[in-house]
């Protein structure tokens, strides 16, 4: 009901409004898709199922992140947790770490923020990265990496997002609960 139908039903991308919502015509229906919510859900699903583990970008220049002493200790004591999230980190001394690789989905500008957020989460949960804590980190990483409202995207990128949505039956809501799409019947 509130999702894009399977391939045999067909659709036509009508366009995009406010650089936020894609509009599809599908038979007797119009489908509005929130591109951020959709992309965020797809990335979250990929992280949660482990499909994103191998999709790392090895950085030509490592990203240096200066942390508070407790954050630095949290990072250095949890290198395996960072690796599970797609980061290769190492101690550089003086409360600084080097990030040598990061998840492919992240912009380089988001790497420092994610590393700090993970350290904060480790500190808040007393180094116990339970499945719920990991789930929260997946939410955060997916949100940061997803295309944003007002991002200019070409038709090919929008079509690719639609194709991925059509292949994922679990992409009804973003990880925060917003609907990915709304359907209006003729």
């Amino acid at each position: 009901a509130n999702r894009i139908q399977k391939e045999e039903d067909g659709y036509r991308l009508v366009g995009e409004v406010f650089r936020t919502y894609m509009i599809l015509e599908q038979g007797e229906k119009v489908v509005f898709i929130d591109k951020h919510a959709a992309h965020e859900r797809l990335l979250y699903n990929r992280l949660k199922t482990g499909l994103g583990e191998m999709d790392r970008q090895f950085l030509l220049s490592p990203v240096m992140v200066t942390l508070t002493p407790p954050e630095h200790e949290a990072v250095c004591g949890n290198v395996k947790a960072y690796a599970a999230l797609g980061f290769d980190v190492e101690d550089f001394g003086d409360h600084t770490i080097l990030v040598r690789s990061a998840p492919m989905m992240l912009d380089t500008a988001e790497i420092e923020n994610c590393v700090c957020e993970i350290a904060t989460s480790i500190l808040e949960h007393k180094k116990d990265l339970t499945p719920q804590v990991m789930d929260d980190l997946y939410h955060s990483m997916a949100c940061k990496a997803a295309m944003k409202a007002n991002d200019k995207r070409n038709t090919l990128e929008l079509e690719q997002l639609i194709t991925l949505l059509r292949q994922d039956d679990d992409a009804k809501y973003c990880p925060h609960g917003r609907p990915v799409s709304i359907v209006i019947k003729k």
Side-chain angles (χ1 to χ4, degrees), residues 13 19 25 28-29 36 47-48 54 60 62 85 93 103 121 125 141 143 145-147 159 168-170 178:
L13 177 61
R19 288 191 180 163
E25 180 181 2
E28 298 288 312
K29 298 180 248 176
H36 173 74
L47 282 167
K48 184 133 175 132
M54 287 194 237
L60 292 174
L85 291 167
S121 188
H125 297 95
M141 287 176 62
C143 187
M147 57 179 74
E159 289 280 358
D168 191 333
D169 290 334
D170 190 37
R178 281 196 348 244

Side-chain angles (χ1 to χ4, degrees), residues 98-153:
L98 290 180
V99 181
R100 296 210 176 269
S101 70
M104 184 74 73
M105 69 176 70
L106 286 180
D107 257 338
T108 306
E110 294 290 349
I111 292 172
E112 182 175 353
N113 192 13
C114 278
V115 167
C116 292
E117 189 171 325
I118 295 166
T120 299
S121 188
I122 290 169
L123 290 171
E124 287 174 359
H125 297 95
K126 312 235 185 316
K127 297 184 182 185
D128 186 18
L129 292 180
T130 63
Q132 179 59 44
V133 173
M134 291 298 285
D135 199 55
D136 290 344
L137 292 171
Y138 294 149
H139 282 191
S140 179
M141 287 176 62
C143 187
K144 285 176 178 39
M147 57 179 74
K148 309 291 188 277
N150 295 317
D151 282 356
K152 189 173 182 176
R153 300 294 173 158

Side-chain angles (χ1 to χ4, degrees), residues 38-52:
H39 195 212
E40 181 180 2
R41 169 49 78 175
L42 292 168
L43 292 174
Y44 168 78
N45 288 352
R46 191 170 181 194
L47 282 167
K48 184 133 175 132
T49 59
L51 294 176

Side-chain angles (χ1 to χ4, degrees), residues 7 16 20 23 28 50 55 79 95-96 104 114 128 143 182:
E7 198 68 36
E16 183 180 13
T20 301
I23 304 170
E28 298 288 312
D55 293 341
V79 173
H95 309 297
T96 301
M104 184 74 73
C114 278
D128 186 18
C143 187
I182 296 173

